[in-house]
Amino acid sequence: MFGIIRPCRHRLSERLQASWMAHLCGLCLALRDDHGQLARTATNYDGLIISVLVEAQAAAGHTAAGAGRRTAGPCPLRGMRTASVARGEGARLAAAVSLALASVKIRDHVEDEDGVFARRPVAAGARAVTRRWDRKSAGSASVVGFDTSVLLDAAARQGELERELPAGGSVLLVTEPTETATAAAFAHTAVLAGRPGNEAPLAEAGRLFGRLAHLLDAAEDQEADAASGAWNPLDATGTDRAEAERLCRDAVHGIRLALRDVELTDRALVHILLAHETERAVERVFGRPGHAACRVGHEPGGAPAAVDQPHGHAPHAHAQLDPTGSNPYQSPPRHDPGQAPPQGPGAPVPPWIPQGPGFTPPGAPPPNRRNLLAGCAAWALMGCTCQLLCCEHNHPFSGERREGFCVRNECCDCGDCCDGCQCCGENAQCCNDCGCCDGCDGCDCGCDC
C-alpha cells in the first residue's frame, strides 16, 4: 500500500469508515477482475479517490438504491468476512489509473536500479510486467472513455525534465507531469458522473493534488536519496524544506478552494479525504510543533489524553479511561481499598474495575487455552490472514479476546480530527459549507457544531 491519503478510523464516523473500506476493497477487486491477481499489488490509497469522486457526484438515487455496491466474499485482509464494496465505472477507472501509475512507479525503480531492481533478472521481469500493465490499463480505461496515454506521456516527459532540468530551476517544472496526469484523472470522474460543470474545478483540484503528492514523496525520500546518491527534485532544484512545505500548504488550500466549486451529491467523504487528510499528510512529513500523535490514548509526555468523539459515537474500547485517569489496558486491575472486590460470576462489576479486550472479569471461567502445537498453528494462520494486525481476535494461545496489533500500538497516524475545521472557518459554519454533518451520526469532520 502506498499513497499520501491515510485516514485513521478514529477520525471517521462509522458510515464514512464503511464507505472508505468499500472503495478500497472495490479498487482491489476491480484490479483483480480486470487485470488478474498480480495487479492487486497496485492497490493504493490515493487511487481510490477516483472511485470516491465518481460516487460522490452520482445522482442521489444511484447511491440510495445501492447500485454502486455489491457484496464481496470473505477476504483474509478483512478477517475472512464479507463486505459491501464499490463497483461500476468509478472503480474501473480507479483500477486503470492505479495500474498505469504502478507501472510508472516500477519503471522508475528499474531505471534508478533501486534495491532488488538493480539485479538483471528482476529488472527484466519488472519491465515485462510494466509492458503488460500498460496494455491492460489502456484497454480497461478505454471502456470507460479514458485515455491512459496522458498518464504514460506524462511519465515519459518526467524523465526528460529530470535529465534536462537546469541548475536552480523551479521545482514546479518537475511536478508538472504529475499535475497533468492527476488533473486528467480527476476531471474524467465528472464525465462518468454526468457532471460536465465539475470538470474544470476537479481538474484544478487534481493538478494541485498531483503537485502535493510529488512534493511530499520528494520530501519523504530526501534523506534516503542523499544517502544513496539518487536524484531528488528538492536537492536538484535547491529547494529547501521550508519552501517545499509552503508549496504543499498552498496546494492544500487550493484544493479546498477548488472543491467549493464542485457540485457533489454527498460531500462528506470527499471533504474528509481532500480537505483534511491532505493537510495531515503535510503535517506527517514536515511535522507541526505541538501536534499530538493521537487523541486516542496518551499525549506526548505520558499524560492521558482527552478523548474527543463526534456526537453520536461511543468512544473506542481502547480509549475508555477509568476515573483515575490511568489506562486500564496498560495497568493491572485495581480495586478501591475501602471496598471489597465483587465476588461470584454474577456479581456486578464496579466502574473502577477495568473491562475490555484482554481482561477476564472476576469469577469468570478462564478461556480455553491451546497447547504449544495448536497455538503455533493458529498463530501462523491468523498471521497469514492479517487477523493479528488488523482485527479484533481471540488470542491464538490463551483464547482471550484481543484487539489487533495496529490498534493496540496506535500504528496509524490519528491526530486530532479537525482542529476546529480550519478549512471552513468557524465550527458552526463548517457543517453548512462542507456538508460533513452526517445527520444522526454527528459531525463527520469532528467539528463541535
Side-chain angles (χ1 to χ4, degrees), residues 49-67:
I49 292 177
I50 301 297
S51 179
V52 172
L53 283 171
V54 173
E55 184 176 86
Q57 298 174 82
H62 175 79
T63 303

Side-chain angles (χ1 to χ4, degrees), residues 116-315:
V116 296
F117 293 98
R119 301 177 180 177
R120 290 184 178 180
V122 176
R127 290 191 186 95
V129 169
T130 59
R131 288 192 295 268
R132 181 172 181 268
W133 282 3
D134 288 345
R135 293 194 304 270
K136 283 189 166 290
S137 63
S140 62
S142 64
V143 175
V144 294
F146 184 68
D147 186 1
T148 57
S149 64
V150 65
L151 307 180
L152 302 180
D153 290 346
R157 193 164 68 255
Q158 184 75 54
E160 295 176 3
L161 282 173
E162 293 179 0
R163 289 188 294 270
E164 300 173 2
L165 183 71
S170 171
V171 71
L172 297 184
L173 292 175
V174 182
T175 63
E176 181 274 325
T178 308
E179 296 177 20
T180 301
T182 51
F186 273 44
H188 196 70
T189 64
V191 176
L192 294 183
R195 303 266 191 175
N198 286 345
E199 287 190 55
L202 282 176
E204 177 67 7
R207 183 180 68 82
L208 293 171
F209 184 83
R211 175 184 299 181
L212 178 66
H214 198 132
L215 289 174
L216 290 180
D217 182 66
E220 278 189 309
D221 295 344
Q222 191 171 19
E223 290 186 6
D225 289 344
S228 64
W231 192 90
N232 185 281
L234 298 183
D235 293 333
T237 59
T239 304
D240 59 25
R241 291 184 70 85
E243 175 65 11
E245 181 179 359
R246 185 190 68 80
L247 291 173
C248 288
R249 295 194 181 277
D250 285 349
V252 171
H253 183 65
I255 292 171
R256 291 170 173 170
L257 294 178
L259 287 180
R260 293 182 181 180
D261 297 327
V262 179
E263 184 180 355
L264 298 173
T265 303
D266 186 351
R267 183 175 294 270
L269 186 57
V270 172
H271 179 79
I272 289 290
L273 298 182
L274 292 179
H276 292 289
E277 292 301 328
T278 49
E279 183 176 24
R280 294 187 185 283
V282 177
E283 292 166 356
R284 183 170 60 247
V285 173
F286 293 101
R288 186 180 70 180
H291 177 61
C294 183
R295 293 179 85 172
V296 180
H298 291 274
E299 301 285 352
V307 180
D308 282 359
Q309 294 293 334
H311 299 300
H313 295 286

